[in-house]
């Protein structure tokens, strides 16, 4: 018998079902070894409820009836039996119907099921008694030995492995379920973030396009004002030429045209035509520069160009706007670089920076100097360009400087300020020109914007 029990214990300890997490199947394997090792009619597992006032059958072998069909045993019904269980000792009842611990079961349980002997061994898990393994013999007495109790005690210890494996599997399932929910949540959040990002990109593009149009509007106003002067002079000159020709024709028809009148008329006609020609050329040049700047700012296309010449051409189109604000542009374009980049992006940046300085930097004119914006270029050792735009205006307060490139940050809310100009400049420099943008400003002593970028 002892050798049989040892072999059964060894086979059970090596059976992978104990660690499979399938609690019901593992319990059946354990109880079957119990029945075989003790050569008894049946064995079952009973566990306490939360308050330890009742035990309920979890598994029975052989499974002739479901464990749930067996009634719960309560402390109120069987106080002697529970008192023995509370001692956490093995109950060996050879004659269960007369044993002090089990005689309470005689009428309601032992006689109906023809049970004569019972061996109950405590089940322990994590240091606590959680129930019993109940071994029962039918139709005859069973003399329980210490070896029998020890055999069932080892089975009780192995039951802890079953519970641990079931708990691990439950945790694993919970973890997998949590991971699935997390993955689903991450996918949902990612989709929402991607949708939001796409919307932000579209909004950013709309804002950039709107700012382009606003910049072009400033240019249009300045160019229109500047072009009006040469065109007006040209119209006056043409009118004067028309008057001179009409007077000359009248003298010819009247036969009174003299040499002096002819020479004076021709001289005035030459002077007027030269004046008209110069001013028309001036208007044509302004329109050409405006057209080039407008096209560049509306369409970003890669070109190779002399950066100093291009910056000078862009700033010429901004001269009328600066004049309207009584601001002088001073140029120091000395880089000599030929860049392959987006001229339109550079034009947009320059336009926004210059118009921003004219509007914001000189709300209060400098006390002892004229309002000035100085634009400088310098070639760096790594072949990139450093472009600096410096004004002698009112400067930027220290608490505003960290937010100056934030979208919609403006100190002119309600006075036409949108807070988008410098934000768009920053985005263009970072995204399109792949450069760096920084500022240094001291209240009352002006502001300097520094841009660094190179070939794309």
């Amino acid at each position: 018998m002892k050798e049989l029990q040892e072999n059964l214990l060894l086979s059970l300890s090596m059976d992978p079902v104990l660690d499979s997490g399938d609690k019901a199947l593992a319990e059946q394997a354990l109880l079957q070894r119990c029945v075989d090792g003790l050569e008894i009619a049946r064995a079952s597992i009973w566990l306490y409820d939360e308050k330890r006032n009742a035990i309920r059958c979890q598994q029975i072998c052989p499974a002739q009836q479901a464990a749930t069909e067996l009634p719960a045993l309560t402390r109120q019904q069987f106080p002697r039996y529970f008192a023995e269980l509370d001692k956490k000792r093995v109950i060996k009842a050879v004659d269960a119907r007369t044993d002090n611990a089990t005689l309470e079961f005689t009428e309601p349980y032992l006689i109906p099921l023809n049970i004569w002997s019972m061996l109950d061994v405590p089940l322990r898990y994590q240091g606590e008694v959680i129930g019993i393994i109940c071994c029962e013999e039918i139709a005859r007495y069973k003399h329980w030995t210490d070896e029998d109790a020890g055999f069932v005690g080892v089975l009780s210890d192995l039951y802890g492995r079953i519970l641990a494996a079931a708990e691990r599997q439950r945790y694993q399932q919970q973890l997998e379920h949590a991971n699935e929910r997390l993955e689903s949540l991450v996918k949902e959040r990612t989709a929402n973030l991607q949708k939001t990002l796409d919307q932000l990109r579209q909004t950013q593009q709309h804002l950039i396009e709107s700012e382009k149009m606003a910049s072009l509007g400033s240019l249009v106003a300045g160019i229109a004002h500047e072009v009006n002067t040469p065109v007006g002079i040209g119209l006056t000159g043409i009118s004067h030429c028309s008057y001179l020709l009409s007077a000359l024709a009248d003298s010819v028809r009247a036969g009174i045209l003299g040499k002096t009148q002819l020479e004076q008329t021709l001289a005035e006609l030459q002077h007027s035509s030269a004046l008209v020609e110069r001013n028309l050329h001036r208007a044509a040049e302004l329109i050409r520069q405006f057209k080039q700047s407008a096209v560049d700012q509306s369409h970003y296309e890669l070109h190779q160009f002399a950066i100093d010449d291009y910056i000078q051409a862009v700033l010429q189109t901004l001269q009328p706007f600066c004049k309207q604000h009584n601001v002088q542009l001073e140029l120091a374009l000395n880089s000599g670089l030929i860049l392959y980049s987006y001229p339109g992006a550079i034009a947009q940046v320059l336009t926004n920076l210059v118009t921003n300085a004219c509007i914001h930097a000189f709300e209060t004119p400098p006390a002892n100097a004229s309002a000035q914006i100085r634009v400088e270029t310098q070639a760096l050792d790594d072949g990139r360009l450093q472009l600096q735009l410096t004004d002698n205006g009112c400067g930027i307060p220290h608490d505003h400087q960290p937010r100056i490139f934030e979208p919609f940050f403006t100190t002119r809310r309600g006075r036409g300020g949108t807070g988008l100009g410098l934000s768009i400049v920053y985005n263009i420099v970072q995204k399109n020109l792949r450069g760096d943008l920084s500022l240094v400003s001291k209240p009352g002593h002006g502001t300097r914007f520094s841009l660094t970028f190179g070939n794309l």
Side-chain angles (χ1 to χ4, degrees):
M1 177 71 75
K2 181 178 180 180
E3 184 178 357
L4 172 63
Q5 291 176 352
E6 290 177 349
N7 290 334
L8 289 171
L9 290 174
L10 179 62
S11 67
L12 179 62
S13 66
M14 298 176 62
D15 194 334
V17 72
L18 289 187
D19 303 311
S20 67
D22 189 335
K23 182 171 175 285
L25 189 61
E27 287 174 340
Q28 275 294 326
L30 184 145
L31 292 176
Q32 187 62 56
R33 261 74 165 193
C34 183
V35 170
D36 295 341
L38 297 178
E39 296 180 347
I40 57 175
R42 70 178 190 174
S44 55
I45 295 173
W46 297 69
L47 299 181
Y48 279 112
D49 63 3
E50 291 183 0
K51 296 182 179 181
R52 300 179 65 85
N53 289 326
I55 55 175
R56 289 180 172 81
C57 186
Q58 301 296 307
Q59 197 70 246
I60 189 168
C61 178
Q64 297 175 344
Q65 64 181 128
T68 54
E69 295 178 4
L70 295 176
L73 307 179
T74 67
R75 188 179 293 273
Q76 183 178 7
Q77 291 175 304
F78 309 105
R80 290 185 181 181
Y81 178 71
F82 274 86
E84 290 297 320
L85 290 183
D86 291 340
K87 296 177 183 178
K88 302 180 181 180
R89 296 185 300 181
V90 175
I91 298 175
K92 293 191 290 185
V94 176
D95 186 351
R97 301 180 186 188
T98 60
D99 189 282
N100 186 59
T102 59
L103 62 84
E104 295 172 324
F105 295 140
T106 302
E107 296 296 331
Y109 184 73
L110 300 178
I111 292 177
L113 297 176
N114 196 25
I115 297 172
W116 290 88
S117 298
M118 293 178 64
L119 172 64
D120 289 354
V121 178
L123 281 173
R124 291 180 171 84
Y125 183 61
Q126 296 181 347
E128 294 291 333
V129 175
I130 61 172
I132 61 168
I133 295 180
C134 181
C135 309
E136 299 167 339
E137 182 61 303
I138 295 174
R140 65 185 180 91
Y141 292 115
K142 174 72 175 179
H143 292 276
W144 310 107
T145 66
D146 291 340
E147 291 179 354
D148 293 339
F151 171 67
V152 181
V154 175
L155 292 177
S156 172
D157 293 337
L158 290 175
Y159 188 69
R161 281 177 58 184
I162 295 175
L163 293 181
E167 196 169 282
R168 283 197 304 272
Q169 181 162 0
R170 184 171 68 254
Y171 289 154
Q172 181 66 29
Q173 291 173 346
Q174 291 174 349
L175 180 60
E176 290 175 356
H177 183 60
N179 285 337
E180 289 176 359
R181 287 191 300 170
L182 181 60
E183 288 178 2
S184 176
L185 183 61
V186 168
K187 289 180 181 178
E188 181 181 352
R189 293 283 177 86
T190 302
N192 290 336
L193 287 174
Q194 186 61 48
K195 182 179 179 181
T196 302
L197 182 60
D198 292 340
Q199 292 175 344
L200 287 175
R201 285 173 177 166
Q202 293 177 0
T203 301
Q204 181 188 44
Q205 191 60 38
H206 290 325
L207 291 175
I208 290 175
E209 294 299 326
S210 298
E211 190 66 18
K212 286 181 183 179
M213 295 301 104
S215 299
L216 291 178
S218 299
L219 287 179
V220 168
I223 289 294
H225 175 77
E226 194 73 8
V227 168
N228 278 339
T229 299
V231 169
I233 294 175
L235 287 173
T236 301
I238 288 297
S239 297
H240 186 57
C241 287
S242 178
Y243 167 76
L244 292 174
L245 288 173
S246 177
L248 186 64
D250 289 342
S251 297
V252 170
R253 283 194 294 269
I256 59 173
L257 179 63
K259 181 179 179 181
T260 301
Q261 182 186 4
L262 179 60
E263 289 176 346
Q264 289 177 348
T265 301
L266 291 175
E268 289 188 35
L269 284 172
Q270 288 176 342
H271 175 74
S272 295
S273 62
L275 182 65
V276 169
E277 184 178 8
R278 286 197 305 273
N279 281 276
L280 289 179
H281 279 304
R282 171 59 181 160
E285 178 63 16
L286 287 171
I287 292 172
R288 185 193 67 78
Q289 292 173 352
F290 168 72
K291 181 180 178 182
Q292 180 62 46
S293 178
V295 170
D296 284 345
Q297 292 189 43
S298 298
H299 302 86
Y300 292 170
E301 295 181 1
L302 283 169
H303 293 289
Q304 190 172 43
F305 56 98
I307 184 64
D308 293 340
D309 293 342
Y310 184 75
I311 290 176
Q312 184 172 12
V314 172
L315 293 177
Q316 285 178 353
T317 65
L318 293 171
Q319 286 282 6
F321 185 85
C322 293
K323 288 181 180 179
Q324 289 181 4
H325 291 80
N326 298 316
V327 177
Q328 296 179 0
L329 275 178
E330 181 181 348
L331 307 183
L333 309 177
N334 304 310
S335 73
L337 291 177
I338 304 295
L339 293 184
Y340 184 71
S341 185
Y342 292 108
I346 297 171
Q348 180 76 44
V349 167
L350 283 171
T351 300
N352 283 22
L353 289 178
V354 171
T355 55
N356 184 77
C358 289
I359 293 171
H360 294 279
F362 302 110
E363 285 187 310
T364 302
N368 300 316
S370 59
Q372 290 183 342
I373 298 175
R374 178 179 174 84
V375 181
E376 305 173 68
T377 60
Q378 179 182 356
L380 301 179
D381 294 338
D382 58 2
R384 296 198 301 166
L385 174 77
Q386 183 180 67
L387 170 62
Q388 292 187 332
L389 189 143
T390 307
D391 66 65
N392 62 342
C394 61
I396 302 172
H398 292 299
D399 57 336
H400 289 175
Q401 292 181 26
R403 303 184 58 196
I404 201 69
F405 297 119
E406 291 181 8
F408 305 108
F409 176 76
T410 179
T411 57
R412 292 176 59 87
R413 188 77 63 195
R415 293 183 293 160
T418 63
L420 294 175
L422 291 181
S423 172
I424 290 176
V425 167
Y426 184 83
N427 286 332
I428 292 174
V429 172
Q430 293 280 326
K431 178 182 176 182
N432 299 99
L433 300 179
R434 299 176 189 173
D436 300 310
L437 173 63
S438 62
L439 72 87
V440 176
S441 183
K442 184 176 181 181
H445 294 81
T447 301
R448 172 178 294 170
F449 288 91
S450 295
L451 293 77
T452 306
F453 55 91
N455 290 301
L456 298 178

